[in-house]
Amino acid sequence: MATKLGFKTVQALAHGEHVSRGDLVIESYVGAPTGPTTRENAYILRDRRIAESLYYEPHGYPDPNLKHALPVDVVLVPTVDLKIPFLGPVIQGSQAALQVIQWLRPGAIAPTAAGGDLRYEGLLLKLLRAEGNAQTFGELLRQHHLTVGVLEPKPWERFEVKGRHSATV
């Protein structure tokens, strides 16, 4: 797919592999299930020059190996659960995000799958049930005595993360 989008240098990563391109290191972790026996990748991007890092897993299935991946400055994970009744979660939000925050101790979290100007359509939408919101997630963080900036970025707009380091995403 990446080559179809015009990228010239494409390297697939298996879980646990990493690749370096100049000062950028991309580490691959186990992500969400995509079928009965397959899992997608989650990633940590590290900029060695400015010592900043970002973790990305859009479906809320954190790899236990993340416990050894400190430090990470920003995490992009869901904070709201999306479930199909009688089948279970499609996206694991609050509890998985809490676990990632406890493991990686980021300065900020940017929720994925949180709405914004996104539109969902189709039959599956009628079955999906959202549980939680920004307020309940904030309460969960306070209950666990965690101080992390919860960002509310607008889709397609750049934003700056202030914390341990400053970065524009």
Side-chain angles (χ1 to χ4, degrees), residues 127-146:
L127 298 174
L128 285 176
R129 299 290 176 252
E131 293 181 7
N133 56 41
Q135 181 180 351
T136 58
F137 184 67
E139 290 169 10
L140 183 64
L141 292 175
R142 284 188 291 283
Q143 288 171 2
H144 287 84
H145 309 287
L146 295 168

Side-chain angles (χ1 to χ4, degrees), residues 54-86:
L54 175 139
Y55 170 71
Y56 174 70
E57 202 295 309
H59 300 102
Y61 288 80
D63 182 342
N65 290 316
L66 288 173
K67 296 175 190 175
H68 311 290
L70 289 169
V72 171
D73 298 294
V74 178
V75 297
L76 280 78
V77 295
T79 58
V80 173
D81 300 316
L82 288 180
K83 297 180 178 181
I84 297 175
F86 307 109

Side-chain angles (χ1 to χ4, degrees), residues 72-131:
V72 171
D73 298 294
V74 178
V75 297
L76 280 78
V77 295
T79 58
V80 173
D81 300 316
L82 288 180
K83 297 180 178 181
I84 297 175
F86 307 109
L87 290 179
V90 175
I91 294 178
Q92 299 183 123
S94 60
Q95 292 299 318
L98 175 66
Q99 191 169 52
V100 167
I101 290 168
Q102 290 171 327
W103 289 346
L104 298 179
R105 298 185 204 116
I109 178 173
T112 61
D117 69 354
L118 301 176
R119 289 181 295 277
Y120 300 96
E121 297 178 353
L123 178 62
L124 191 59
L125 179 63
K126 292 178 176 38
L127 298 174
L128 285 176
R129 299 290 176 252
E131 293 181 7

